[in-house]
Coordinates of all heavy atoms in Angstrom, one line a residue:
M1 N 77.0 -2.8 -20.5 CA 77.2 -3.6 -19.4 C 75.8 -4.0 -18.9 O 74.9 -3.1 -18.8 CB 78.0 -2.9 -18.3 CG 78.2 -3.7 -17.1 SD 79.6 -3.2 -16.2 CE 78.9 -2.2 -14.9
N2 N 75.6 -5.2 -18.6 CA 74.3 -5.7 -18.1 C 74.3 -5.8 -16.6 O 75.2 -6.3 -15.9 CB 74.0 -7.1 -18.6 CG 73.8 -7.1 -20.1 OD1 73.4 -6.1 -20.7 ND2 74.2 -8.2 -20.8
P3 N 73.2 -5.3 -15.9 CA 73.2 -5.4 -14.5 C 72.9 -6.9 -14.0 O 72.3 -7.7 -14.8 CB 72.0 -4.5 -14.1 CG 71.1 -4.5 -15.3 CD 72.1 -4.6 -16.5
I4 N 73.4 -7.2 -12.9 CA 73.3 -8.6 -12.4 C 72.2 -8.6 -11.3 O 72.4 -9.1 -10.2 CB 74.6 -9.1 -11.8 CG1 75.7 -8.8 -12.8 CG2 74.6 -10.5 -11.5 CD1 77.1 -9.1 -12.3
V5 N 71.0 -8.2 -11.6 CA 69.9 -8.1 -10.6 C 69.4 -9.5 -10.3 O 69.2 -9.8 -9.1 CB 68.8 -7.2 -11.2 CG1 67.6 -7.2 -10.2 CG2 69.3 -5.8 -11.4
T6 N 69.3 -10.3 -11.3 CA 68.7 -11.7 -11.0 C 69.6 -12.5 -10.1 O 69.1 -13.3 -9.3 CB 68.5 -12.4 -12.3 OG1 69.8 -12.5 -13.0 CG2 67.5 -11.8 -13.2
V7 N 70.9 -12.3 -10.1 CA 71.8 -13.0 -9.2 C 71.6 -12.5 -7.8 O 71.5 -13.3 -6.9 CB 73.3 -12.9 -9.6 CG1 74.2 -13.5 -8.6 CG2 73.5 -13.5 -11.0
Q8 N 71.4 -11.2 -7.6 CA 71.2 -10.7 -6.3 C 69.9 -11.2 -5.7 O 69.8 -11.6 -4.6 CB 71.2 -9.2 -6.3 CG 71.0 -8.6 -4.9 CD 70.9 -7.1 -5.0 OE1 71.0 -6.5 -6.0 NE2 70.7 -6.5 -3.8
D9 N 68.9 -11.3 -6.6 CA 67.6 -11.8 -6.1 C 67.7 -13.2 -5.7 O 67.1 -13.7 -4.7 CB 66.5 -11.6 -7.2 CG 66.1 -10.2 -7.4 OD1 66.4 -9.4 -6.5 OD2 65.6 -9.9 -8.5
A10 N 68.4 -14.0 -6.4 CA 68.6 -15.4 -6.1 C 69.4 -15.6 -4.8 O 69.1 -16.5 -4.0 CB 69.3 -16.2 -7.3
V11 N 70.3 -14.8 -4.5 CA 71.1 -14.9 -3.3 C 70.3 -14.5 -2.1 O 70.3 -15.1 -1.1 CB 72.4 -14.0 -3.4 CG1 73.1 -14.0 -2.1 CG2 73.3 -14.6 -4.5
T12 N 69.5 -13.4 -2.2 CA 68.8 -12.9 -1.1 C 67.5 -13.7 -0.9 O 66.9 -13.6 0.2 CB 68.4 -11.4 -1.2 OG1 67.7 -11.2 -2.5 CG2 69.6 -10.5 -1.2
A13 N 67.1 -14.5 -1.8 CA 65.9 -15.3 -1.6 C 66.1 -16.4 -0.5 O 65.1 -16.8 0.0 CB 65.5 -16.0 -3.0
F14 N 67.3 -16.7 -0.2 CA 67.6 -17.7 0.8 C 68.2 -17.1 2.0 O 69.0 -17.8 2.7 CB 68.4 -18.8 0.2 CG 67.7 -19.5 -1.0 CD1 68.2 -19.3 -2.3 CD2 66.7 -20.4 -0.8 CE1 67.6 -19.9 -3.3 CE2 66.0 -21.0 -1.8 CZ 66.5 -20.7 -3.1
A15 N 68.0 -15.9 2.3 CA 68.6 -15.2 3.5 C 67.9 -15.8 4.7 O 66.8 -16.3 4.7 CB 68.3 -13.7 3.4
D16 N 68.6 -15.6 5.8 CA 68.2 -16.2 7.1 C 66.9 -15.6 7.6 O 66.0 -16.3 8.2 CB 69.2 -15.9 8.2 CG 70.5 -16.8 8.0 OD1 70.3 -17.8 7.3 OD2 71.5 -16.4 8.5
F17 N 66.6 -14.3 7.3 CA 65.4 -13.7 7.7 C 64.2 -14.2 6.9 O 63.1 -13.9 7.3 CB 65.5 -12.2 7.6 CG 65.7 -11.6 6.2 CD1 64.6 -11.4 5.4 CD2 66.9 -11.4 5.7 CE1 64.7 -10.9 4.2 CE2 67.1 -11.0 4.4 CZ 66.0 -10.7 3.6
M18 N 64.4 -15.0 5.9 CA 63.3 -15.5 5.1 C 62.7 -16.8 5.6 O 61.8 -17.4 5.1 CB 63.7 -15.7 3.7 CG 64.2 -14.4 3.0 SD 62.8 -13.3 2.7 CE 62.0 -14.1 1.3
E19 N 63.3 -17.4 6.7 CA 62.8 -18.6 7.3 C 61.5 -18.5 7.9 O 61.1 -17.4 8.3 CB 63.8 -19.1 8.3 CG 65.2 -19.5 7.8 CD 65.2 -20.7 7.0 OE1 64.4 -21.6 7.3 OE2 65.9 -20.7 5.9
P20 N 60.7 -19.6 7.9 CA 59.3 -19.5 8.5 C 59.4 -19.3 10.0 O 60.3 -19.8 10.6 CB 58.7 -20.8 8.1 CG 59.8 -21.7 7.8 CD 60.9 -20.9 7.3
T21 N 58.5 -18.5 10.5 CA 58.5 -18.3 12.0 C 57.9 -19.5 12.7 O 57.3 -20.4 12.1 CB 57.7 -17.1 12.3 OG1 56.3 -17.3 11.9 CG2 58.2 -15.8 11.6
D22 N 58.0 -19.5 14.0 CA 57.5 -20.6 14.8 C 55.9 -20.7 14.6 O 55.3 -21.7 14.6 CB 57.8 -20.5 16.2 CG 59.3 -20.8 16.5 OD1 59.9 -21.5 15.7 OD2 59.9 -20.4 17.5
A23 N 55.3 -19.5 14.5 CA 53.9 -19.5 14.4 C 53.4 -20.1 13.0 O 52.4 -20.8 13.0 CB 53.4 -18.0 14.5
E24 N 54.2 -19.8 12.0 CA 53.9 -20.4 10.7 C 54.1 -21.9 10.7 O 53.3 -22.6 10.1 CB 54.8 -19.7 9.6 CG 54.4 -18.2 9.4 CD 55.4 -17.5 8.5 OE1 56.6 -17.9 8.4 OE2 55.0 -16.6 7.8
L25 N 55.2 -22.3 11.3 CA 55.4 -23.8 11.4 C 54.3 -24.5 12.2 O 53.9 -25.6 11.9 CB 56.8 -24.1 12.0 CG 58.0 -23.7 11.1 CD1 59.3 -23.9 11.9 CD2 58.0 -24.5 9.8
N26 N 53.8 -23.8 13.3 CA 52.7 -24.4 14.1 C 51.5 -24.4 13.3 O 50.7 -25.4 13.4 CB 52.5 -23.6 15.4 CG 53.7 -23.8 16.3 OD1 54.4 -24.8 16.3 ND2 53.9 -22.8 17.2
A27 N 51.2 -23.4 12.5 CA 50.0 -23.4 11.6 C 50.1 -24.5 10.6 O 49.0 -25.2 10.3 CB 49.9 -22.1 10.9
I28 N 51.2 -24.8 10.0 CA 51.4 -25.9 9.1 C 51.1 -27.2 9.8 O 50.5 -28.1 9.2 CB 52.8 -25.8 8.4 CG1 52.9 -24.6 7.5 CG2 53.0 -27.1 7.6 CD1 54.3 -24.3 7.0
E29 N 51.7 -27.4 10.9 CA 51.5 -28.6 11.7 C 50.0 -28.8 12.0 O 49.5 -29.9 12.0 CB 52.4 -28.5 13.0 CG 52.4 -29.8 13.8 CD 53.1 -30.9 13.0 OE1 54.0 -30.7 12.3 OE2 52.7 -32.1 13.3
R30 N 49.3 -27.7 12.4 CA 47.9 -27.8 12.7 C 47.1 -28.2 11.5 O 46.1 -28.9 11.6 CB 47.4 -26.5 13.3 CG 46.1 -26.5 14.0 CD 45.8 -25.3 14.7 NE 46.1 -24.0 14.0 CZ 47.1 -23.2 14.3 NH1 47.9 -23.4 15.2 NH2 47.3 -22.1 13.6
E31 N 47.5 -27.8 10.3 CA 46.8 -28.0 9.1 C 47.2 -29.3 8.4 O 46.7 -29.7 7.3 CB 46.9 -26.9 8.1 CG 46.3 -25.6 8.6 CD 46.6 -24.4 7.7 OE1 47.2 -24.6 6.7 OE2 46.2 -23.3 8.1
M32 N 48.2 -30.0 8.9 CA 48.8 -31.2 8.3 C 47.7 -32.3 8.0 O 47.7 -32.9 6.9 CB 49.9 -31.8 9.1 CG 50.7 -32.8 8.3 SD 51.3 -32.3 6.7 CE 52.5 -31.1 7.1
P33 N 46.8 -32.6 8.9 CA 45.7 -33.6 8.6 C 44.9 -33.2 7.3 O 44.6 -34.1 6.5 CB 44.9 -33.7 9.8 CG 45.7 -33.2 10.9 CD 46.6 -32.2 10.3
V34 N 44.6 -31.9 7.2 CA 43.9 -31.5 6.0 C 44.7 -31.6 4.7 O 44.2 -32.1 3.7 CB 43.4 -30.0 6.2 CG1 42.8 -29.5 4.9 CG2 42.5 -29.9 7.3
I35 N 46.0 -31.3 4.8 CA 46.9 -31.4 3.7 C 47.0 -32.8 3.3 O 46.9 -33.2 2.1 CB 48.3 -30.8 4.0 CG1 48.2 -29.3 4.3 CG2 49.3 -31.1 3.0 CD1 49.4 -28.7 4.9
L36 N 47.2 -33.7 4.2 CA 47.3 -35.2 3.9 C 46.0 -35.7 3.3 O 46.1 -36.6 2.4 CB 47.8 -36.0 5.1 CG 49.2 -35.6 5.6 CD1 49.4 -36.4 6.9 CD2 50.2 -35.9 4.6
A37 N 44.9 -35.3 3.8 CA 43.6 -35.8 3.3 C 43.4 -35.3 1.8 O 42.9 -36.0 1.0 CB 42.5 -35.3 4.2
D38 N 43.8 -34.0 1.6 CA 43.7 -33.5 0.2 C 44.7 -34.2 -0.7 O 44.3 -34.5 -1.9 CB 44.1 -32.0 0.2 CG 42.9 -31.2 0.8 OD1 41.8 -31.7 0.9 OD2 43.2 -30.0 1.1
V39 N 45.9 -34.6 -0.2 CA 46.8 -35.4 -1.1 C 46.2 -36.8 -1.4 O 46.3 -37.2 -2.5 CB 48.1 -35.6 -0.3 CG1 49.0 -36.6 -1.0 CG2 48.9 -34.2 -0.3
D40 N 45.5 -37.4 -0.4 CA 44.8 -38.7 -0.7 C 43.7 -38.5 -1.7 O 43.5 -39.4 -2.6 CB 44.3 -39.3 0.6 CG 45.4 -39.8 1.5 OD1 46.5 -40.0 1.0 OD2 45.1 -40.0 2.7
L41 N 43.0 -37.4 -1.6 CA 41.9 -37.2 -2.6 C 42.5 -37.0 -4.0 O 42.0 -37.5 -5.0 CB 41.1 -36.0 -2.2 CG 39.9 -35.6 -3.1 CD1 38.9 -36.7 -3.2 CD2 39.2 -34.3 -2.5
L42 N 43.5 -36.2 -4.1 CA 44.2 -36.0 -5.4 C 44.7 -37.3 -5.9 O 44.6 -37.5 -7.1 CB 45.3 -34.9 -5.3 CG 44.8 -33.5 -5.1 CD1 46.0 -32.6 -4.9 CD2 44.1 -33.1 -6.4
D43 N 45.3 -38.1 -5.1 CA 45.8 -39.4 -5.5 C 44.7 -40.3 -6.1 O 44.8 -40.9 -7.1 CB 46.5 -40.1 -4.4 CG 47.2 -41.4 -4.8 OD1 47.9 -41.3 -5.8 OD2 47.1 -42.4 -4.1
A44 N 43.5 -40.2 -5.4 CA 42.4 -41.0 -5.9 C 41.9 -40.5 -7.3 O 41.6 -41.3 -8.2 CB 41.2 -40.9 -4.9
Y45 N 41.9 -39.2 -7.5 CA 41.6 -38.6 -8.8 C 42.6 -39.0 -9.8 O 42.3 -39.3 -11.0 CB 41.4 -37.1 -8.7 CG 40.1 -36.6 -8.1 CD1 40.1 -35.7 -7.1 CD2 38.9 -37.1 -8.6 CE1 38.9 -35.2 -6.6 CE2 37.7 -36.7 -8.1 CZ 37.7 -35.8 -7.1 OH 36.5 -35.3 -6.5
I46 N 43.9 -38.9 -9.5 CA 44.9 -39.1 -10.4 C 44.9 -40.5 -11.0 O 45.2 -40.8 -12.1 CB 46.3 -38.8 -9.8 CG1 46.4 -37.3 -9.7 CG2 47.5 -39.3 -10.6 CD1 47.6 -36.8 -8.9
T47 N 44.5 -41.5 -10.1 CA 44.5 -42.9 -10.6 C 43.5 -43.1 -11.6 O 43.6 -44.1 -12.4 CB 44.3 -43.9 -9.4 OG1 43.1 -43.5 -8.8 CG2 45.4 -43.8 -8.4
T48 N 42.5 -42.3 -11.7 CA 41.4 -42.5 -12.7 C 41.6 -41.6 -13.9 O 40.7 -41.5 -14.8 CB 40.0 -42.2 -12.1 OG1 40.0 -40.8 -11.6 CG2 39.8 -43.1 -10.9
L49 N 42.7 -40.9 -14.1 CA 42.8 -39.9 -15.2 C 42.9 -40.6 -16.5 O 42.4 -40.2 -17.5 CB 44.1 -39.1 -15.0 CG 43.9 -37.9 -14.0 CD1 45.2 -37.2 -13.9 CD2 42.8 -37.0 -14.4
D50 N 43.6 -41.8 -16.6 CA 43.8 -42.4 -17.9 C 42.9 -43.6 -18.2 O 43.1 -44.4 -19.1 CB 45.3 -42.9 -18.0 CG 45.7 -43.8 -16.9 OD1 44.9 -44.0 -15.9 OD2 46.7 -44.5 -17.1
R51 N 41.8 -43.7 -17.4 CA 40.9 -44.8 -17.6 C 39.5 -44.5 -17.1 O 39.4 -43.5 -16.3 CB 41.4 -46.1 -16.9 CG 41.5 -46.0 -15.4 CD 42.3 -47.2 -14.8 NE 42.7 -46.9 -13.5 CZ 42.1 -47.4 -12.4 NH1 41.2 -48.3 -12.5 NH2 42.6 -47.1 -11.2
T52 N 38.6 -45.2 -17.4 CA 37.2 -45.0 -16.9 C 37.2 -45.5 -15.5 O 37.6 -46.7 -15.2 CB 36.2 -45.8 -17.8 OG1 36.4 -45.4 -19.1 CG2 34.8 -45.5 -17.3
P53 N 36.7 -44.7 -14.6 CA 36.6 -45.1 -13.2 C 35.7 -46.3 -13.0 O 34.6 -46.3 -13.5 CB 36.1 -43.9 -12.4 CG 36.3 -42.8 -13.4 CD 36.2 -43.3 -14.7
T54 N 36.2 -47.3 -12.2 CA 35.3 -48.4 -11.8 C 34.5 -48.1 -10.6 O 34.7 -47.0 -10.0 CB 36.2 -49.6 -11.6 OG1 37.0 -49.4 -10.4 CG2 37.1 -50.0 -12.8
E55 N 33.7 -48.9 -10.2 CA 32.9 -48.7 -8.9 C 33.9 -48.6 -7.7 O 33.7 -47.8 -6.8 CB 31.9 -49.8 -8.7 CG 31.0 -49.6 -7.5 CD 30.3 -48.3 -7.5 OE1 29.9 -47.8 -8.6 OE2 30.1 -47.7 -6.4
L56 N 34.9 -49.4 -7.7 CA 35.9 -49.4 -6.7 C 36.6 -48.0 -6.6 O 36.9 -47.4 -5.6 CB 36.9 -50.5 -6.8 CG 38.0 -50.6 -5.7 CD1 37.3 -51.0 -4.4 CD2 39.0 -51.7 -6.1
D57 N 37.0 -47.5 -7.8 CA 37.6 -46.1 -7.9 C 36.6 -45.1 -7.4 O 37.0 -44.2 -6.7 CB 37.9 -45.8 -9.4 CG 39.1 -46.7 -9.9 OD1 39.9 -47.1 -9.1 OD2 39.1 -46.9 -11.1
N58 N 35.3 -45.2 -7.7 CA 34.3 -44.2 -7.3 C 34.2 -44.3 -5.7 O 34.1 -43.2 -5.1 CB 33.0 -44.5 -7.9 CG 33.0 -44.1 -9.4 OD1 33.7 -43.2 -9.8 ND2 32.2 -44.8 -10.2
R59 N 34.2 -45.5 -5.2 CA 34.2 -45.6 -3.7 C 35.4 -45.0 -3.1 O 35.3 -44.3 -2.0 CB 34.0 -47.0 -3.3 CG 32.6 -47.5 -3.4 CD 32.5 -48.8 -2.7 NE 32.7 -49.8 -3.8 CZ 32.9 -51.1 -3.6 NH1 33.0 -51.6 -2.4 NH2 33.1 -51.9 -4.6
R60 N 36.6 -45.2 -3.7 CA 37.8 -44.6 -3.1 C 37.8 -43.1 -3.2 O 38.2 -42.4 -2.2 CB 39.0 -45.1 -3.9 CG 40.3 -44.7 -3.4 CD 41.5 -45.2 -4.2 NE 42.7 -44.7 -3.7 CZ 43.8 -44.5 -4.4 NH1 43.8 -44.9 -5.7 NH2 44.9 -44.1 -3.9
I61 N 37.2 -42.5 -4.2 CA 37.1 -41.1 -4.3 C 36.1 -40.6 -3.3 O 36.4 -39.5 -2.6 CB 36.7 -40.7 -5.8 CG1 37.9 -40.9 -6.7 CG2 36.3 -39.2 -5.8 CD1 37.5 -40.8 -8.2
R62 N 35.0 -41.2 -3.2 CA 34.0 -40.8 -2.2 C 34.6 -40.8 -0.7 O 34.4 -39.9 0.0 CB 32.8 -41.6 -2.2 CG 31.8 -41.3 -3.4 CD 30.5 -41.9 -3.3 NE 30.5 -43.3 -3.1 CZ 30.4 -44.2 -4.1 NH1 30.3 -43.8 -5.3 NH2 30.4 -45.5 -3.8
R63 N 35.3 -41.9 -0.4 CA 35.9 -42.0 0.9 C 36.9 -40.9 1.1 O 37.0 -40.3 2.2 CB 36.5 -43.4 1.1 CG 35.6 -44.5 1.5 CD 36.3 -45.7 1.9 NE 37.4 -46.1 1.0 CZ 37.3 -47.1 0.1 NH1 36.2 -47.9 0.2 NH2 38.2 -47.4 -0.7
A64 N 37.8 -40.7 0.1 CA 38.8 -39.7 0.2 C 38.2 -38.3 0.4 O 38.6 -37.4 1.2 CB 39.7 -39.7 -1.0
R65 N 37.1 -38.0 -0.4 CA 36.4 -36.8 -0.2 C 35.8 -36.6 1.2 O 35.9 -35.5 1.7 CB 35.3 -36.7 -1.3 CG 34.7 -35.3 -1.4 CD 33.6 -35.2 -2.4 NE 34.1 -35.5 -3.8 CZ 33.6 -36.3 -4.7 NH1 32.5 -36.9 -4.4 NH2 34.1 -36.5 -5.8
R66 N 35.2 -37.6 1.7 CA 34.6 -37.6 3.1 C 35.7 -37.3 4.1 O 35.5 -36.5 5.0 CB 33.9 -38.8 3.4 CG 32.5 -38.9 2.8 CD 31.6 -40.0 3.4 NE 32.2 -41.3 3.2 CZ 31.8 -42.1 2.2 NH1 30.8 -41.7 1.4 NH2 32.3 -43.3 2.0
R67 N 36.9 -38.0 3.9 CA 38.0 -37.8 4.9 C 38.5 -36.3 4.8 O 38.8 -35.7 5.8 CB 39.1 -38.8 4.6 CG 38.9 -40.1 5.2 CD 40.1 -41.0 5.2 NE 40.7 -41.2 3.8 CZ 40.4 -42.2 3.1 NH1 39.7 -43.2 3.5 NH2 41.0 -42.3 1.9
A68 N 38.6 -35.8 3.6 CA 39.1 -34.4 3.4 C 38.1 -33.4 4.1 O 38.5 -32.5 4.8 CB 39.2 -34.1 1.9
L69 N 36.8 -33.7 3.9 CA 35.8 -32.8 4.5 C 35.8 -32.9 6.0 O 35.7 -31.9 6.7 CB 34.4 -33.1 3.9 CG 34.2 -32.7 2.5 CD1 32.8 -33.2 2.0 CD2 34.3 -31.2 2.3
A70 N 36.0 -34.2 6.5 CA 36.0 -34.4 8.0 C 37.3 -33.7 8.6 O 37.2 -33.1 9.6 CB 36.0 -35.9 8.3
A71 N 38.4 -33.7 7.8 CA 39.6 -33.1 8.3 C 39.4 -31.6 8.4 O 39.9 -30.9 9.3 CB 40.8 -33.5 7.5
R72 N 38.8 -31.0 7.3 CA 38.5 -29.6 7.3 C 37.6 -29.2 8.5 O 37.8 -28.2 9.1 CB 37.9 -29.2 6.0 CG 38.9 -29.2 4.9 CD 38.3 -28.8 3.6 NE 39.2 -29.0 2.5 CZ 40.1 -28.2 2.1 NH1 40.3 -27.1 2.7 NH2 40.9 -28.5 1.1
L73 N 36.6 -30.0 8.7 CA 35.6 -29.7 9.8 C 36.3 -29.8 11.1 O 36.1 -28.9 12.0 CB 34.5 -30.7 9.7 CG 33.4 -30.5 10.8 CD1 32.7 -29.2 10.6 CD2 32.4 -31.6 10.7
A74 N 37.2 -30.8 11.3 CA 37.9 -30.9 12.6 C 38.9 -29.7 12.8 O 39.0 -29.2 13.9 CB 38.7 -32.2 12.6
L75 N 39.5 -29.2 11.7 CA 40.3 -28.0 11.8 C 39.5 -26.8 12.2 O 39.9 -26.0 13.0 CB 41.1 -27.8 10.5 CG 42.0 -26.6 10.5 CD1 43.2 -26.8 11.5 CD2 42.6 -26.4 9.1
L76 N 38.4 -26.7 11.5 CA 37.5 -25.5 11.8 C 37.0 -25.6 13.3 O 36.9 -24.5 14.0 CB 36.3 -25.4 10.9 CG 36.7 -25.0 9.5 CD1 35.4 -25.1 8.6 CD2 37.2 -23.5 9.5
N77 N 36.6 -26.7 13.8 CA 36.2 -26.9 15.1 C 37.3 -26.6 16.1 O 37.1 -26.1 17.2 CB 35.6 -28.2 15.4 CG 34.2 -28.4 14.7 OD1 33.5 -27.4 14.5 ND2 33.8 -29.6 14.4
Q78 N 38.5 -27.0 15.7 CA 39.7 -26.8 16.6 C 40.0 -25.3 16.7 O 40.4 -24.9 17.8 CB 40.9 -27.6 16.0 CG 42.2 -27.4 16.8 CD 43.3 -28.2 16.1 OE1 43.1 -28.6 14.9 NE2 44.4 -28.3 16.7
T79 N 39.9 -24.6 15.6 CA 40.3 -23.2 15.6 C 39.1 -22.3 15.7 O 39.1 -21.1 15.4 CB 41.0 -22.8 14.3 OG1 40.2 -23.1 13.2 CG2 42.3 -23.6 14.2
D80 N 38.0 -22.8 16.3 CA 36.8 -22.0 16.4 C 37.0 -20.8 17.3 O 37.6 -20.9 18.4 CB 35.6 -22.8 17.0 CG 34.3 -22.2 16.9 OD1 34.2 -21.3 16.0 OD2 33.4 -22.5 17.7
G81 N 36.7 -19.6 16.9 CA 36.9 -18.4 17.7 C 38.2 -17.7 17.4 O 38.4 -16.6 17.9
T82 N 39.0 -18.2 16.5 CA 40.2 -17.6 16.1 C 40.1 -17.2 14.7 O 39.3 -17.8 13.9 CB 41.5 -18.4 16.3 OG1 41.3 -19.6 15.5 CG2 41.7 -18.9 17.7
S83 N 40.8 -16.1 14.2 CA 40.7 -15.7 12.9 C 41.7 -16.5 12.0 O 42.8 -16.8 12.4 CB 41.0 -14.2 12.7 OG 42.4 -14.0 12.8
V84 N 41.2 -17.0 10.9 CA 42.0 -17.7 9.9 C 42.4 -16.8 8.8 O 41.5 -16.2 8.2 CB 41.2 -19.0 9.4 CG1 42.0 -19.7 8.4 CG2 40.7 -19.8 10.5
P85 N 43.7 -16.7 8.5 CA 44.1 -15.8 7.4 C 43.5 -16.2 6.1 O 43.5 -17.4 5.7 CB 45.6 -15.9 7.4 CG 46.0 -16.8 8.5 CD 44.8 -17.4 9.1
G86 N 43.0 -15.3 5.3 CA 42.4 -15.5 4.0 C 41.0 -16.0 4.1 O 40.4 -16.3 3.1
G87 N 40.4 -16.2 5.3 CA 39.1 -16.7 5.4 C 38.1 -15.6 5.3 O 38.4 -14.4 5.5
A88 N 36.8 -15.9 5.1 CA 35.8 -14.9 5.1 C 35.4 -14.6 6.5 O 35.5 -15.4 7.4 CB 34.6 -15.5 4.3
A89 N 35.0 -13.4 6.7 CA 34.7 -12.9 8.0 C 33.3 -13.3 8.4 O 32.4 -13.5 7.7 CB 34.8 -11.4 8.1

C-alpha cells in the first residue's frame, strides 16, 4: 500500500492560515513601484533577445534601468530607519 502524503500536502498548502498577513500585503504594496520598474527593465531586455539591439533599444534599456534604480532609491529613502528583511545590516 502506498501512502498518500502528496495529496495531504497539496490540500494543506491552501489552508486558511497560509494566507498573507496584512503586514505582508502592505510590504508588497510598498514595493510595487520597484516591482513594476523591474518588470519594465526585463521587458526591455526581452525585446532584444532575438536581435541585435538598436540605439533605440539601448536607450530604452538605459531609461528602464534608471527608473528601476530610482524606484529602489525611493523605497530605501521611504523605509529609512526600519529594518528590511534579508538586507545587510
Side-chain angles (χ1 to χ4, degrees):
M1 181 154 97
N2 294 332
I4 311 175
V5 175
T6 57
V7 173
Q8 181 182 3
D9 290 342
V11 171
T12 57
F14 300 106
D16 290 337
F17 64 87
M18 299 289 289
E19 294 292 322
T21 64
D22 288 338
E24 291 170 335
L25 291 174
N26 289 337
I28 292 170
E29 187 68 28
R30 194 171 46 252
E31 294 173 5
M32 191 55 67
V34 174
I35 294 168
L36 293 175
D38 285 343
V39 168
D40 288 342
L41 179 59
L42 285 173
D43 187 44
Y45 280 130
I46 288 170
T47 57
T48 62
L49 283 178
D50 60 345
R51 61 190 166 109
T52 305
T54 63
E55 182 58 34
L56 185 64
D57 293 329
N58 289 331
R59 279 190 268 163
R60 182 178 179 207
I61 290 170
R62 282 194 306 267
R63 277 193 309 255
R65 188 179 299 132
R66 281 194 298 262
R67 280 193 301 264
L69 290 173
R72 288 179 189 277
L73 182 64
L75 179 65
L76 286 174
N77 287 336
Q78 178 183 10
T79 59
D80 193 23
T82 61
S83 77
V84 179

